[in-house]
Amino acid sequence: MTTNHSNNSDKSSEQEIDEALKTADFSDRVWMFFFKYSRMLIYIGLVALVMFILAVLAAVGQTVLHKYMQSAYLQALETDNKEYFAQKYASDPLGGTIFLEWGDKAYQQNDYKKASDYYRRSVSSLGKNILGGRAAIGEGVSLIKLGSRQKGEAILAEIAEEKSYPLFIRGQAMYFLASSIYEQQDTGRAKKVLNQLINSNFSTSWKTAAKSLLQDIEMQNIALAQ
């Protein structure tokens, strides 16, 4: 009984999010989707992070420098002094994960200048994996929120075209790009991006989202024509 109730509650929550997305602006769409797919992102991210940490731990045993880095990271976690570690090992993936965390916190506090900077530094050390892709999207969205829409959209477009990124990340970037363009009432260009997303080999979740937004655009066009 408890399991059925929980499943019904999850479905109801997702339906509410889907309904809200139909009328939400770009900013709301971003965070509603992060919420809706948070479990998937967290699961994928954790799997990638565990694999990454295992790889790092394997490499740590190879040199004294890596052993020292591992010790420094554990000490940073114990003393909650991750800032020093991140600054010292900014070019290392472990440092990148800390910058990613800071980027998320800055974004949630509406400090988009700091968020974009933290995300950018995270991207440079995490690379073209799912965590690096998430940081890159964060940088693009932060710049859009900051008012640097052209730069932000250029980053999202670059992510969408970069084949080194996972398809889920590329589809997400393309959807956010279309949402930003639509927010400027450039419906023709927004529809072009959405159709490209729908007709490409991206994840089903973002294709579904693109179809929903495309339907919203068509309905708006009909309303304006009347």
Side-chain angles (χ1 to χ4, degrees):
M1 292 295 292
T2 303
T3 302
N4 290 337
H5 177 73
S6 176
N7 290 337
N8 291 336
S9 177
D10 289 343
K11 290 180 180 179
S12 176
S13 178
E14 287 196 5
Q15 289 173 356
E16 290 176 1
I17 293 173
D18 289 335
E19 289 299 321
L21 280 167
K22 294 180 180 179
T23 57
D25 59 16
F26 171 69
S27 303
D28 292 334
R29 287 176 187 272
V30 171
W31 285 109
M32 284 181 183
F33 266 105
F34 268 126
F35 175 76
K36 182 177 179 181
Y37 296 104
S38 60
R39 292 183 181 178
M40 182 187 301
L41 288 172
I42 290 172
Y43 174 76
I44 296 174
L46 284 176
V47 171
L49 184 59
V50 168
M51 292 178 64
F52 161 72
I53 290 176
L54 290 175
V56 170
L57 291 176
V60 158
Q62 296 178 6
T63 65
V64 174
L65 177 61
H66 283 174
K67 289 181 180 179
Y68 179 80
M69 183 183 69
Q70 180 191 32
S71 176
Y73 182 69
L74 292 175
Q75 184 178 2
L77 292 178
E78 292 176 357
T79 60
D80 197 25
N81 187 24
K82 292 185 288 187
E83 182 174 1
Y84 173 76
F85 179 90
Q87 297 291 345
K88 186 172 182 178
Y89 297 101
S91 61
D92 189 89
L94 280 175
T97 60
I98 295 175
F99 282 122
L100 177 59
E101 178 186 345
W102 289 347
D104 289 343
K105 288 182 179 179
Y107 190 100
Q108 291 169 5
Q109 295 170 358
N110 299 326
D111 191 342
Y112 305 119
K113 180 72 170 61
K114 280 187 178 180
S116 63
D117 181 59
Y118 287 145
Y119 283 134
R120 181 171 59 255
R121 299 183 73 172
S122 180
V123 171
S124 64
S125 56
L126 288 175
K128 301 297 176 63
N129 51 46
I130 192 166
L131 293 180
R134 185 181 177 283
I137 290 175
E139 180 186 2
V141 173
S142 295
L143 288 171
I144 291 172
K145 297 282 287 184
L146 192 61
S148 300
R149 190 176 293 273
Q150 186 174 1
K151 290 182 179 179
E153 289 183 356
I155 289 175
L156 295 177
E158 183 177 347
I159 297 169
E161 295 296 327
E162 178 54 67
K163 295 182 179 179
S164 299
Y165 282 121
L167 290 174
F168 184 87
I169 290 294
R170 293 175 61 197
Q172 185 179 32
M174 187 169 287
Y175 177 81
F176 286 169
L177 173 61
S179 295
S180 179
I181 295 171
Y182 177 46
E183 192 178 46
Q184 302 171 74
Q185 299 303 312
D186 189 350
T187 57
R189 185 167 161 239
K191 288 170 62 177
K192 182 178 179 180
V193 174
L194 289 170
N195 280 315
Q196 183 181 351
L197 169 55
I198 293 169
N199 295 316
S200 299
N201 188 31
F202 294 121
S203 62
T204 303
S205 56
W206 293 116
K207 287 187 177 184
T208 301
K211 290 176 182 177
S212 178
L213 182 54
L214 191 59
Q215 186 178 15
D216 291 347
I217 294 175
E218 296 293 354
M219 291 177 64
Q220 183 190 51
N221 289 340
I222 293 173
L224 292 173
Q226 292 178 347

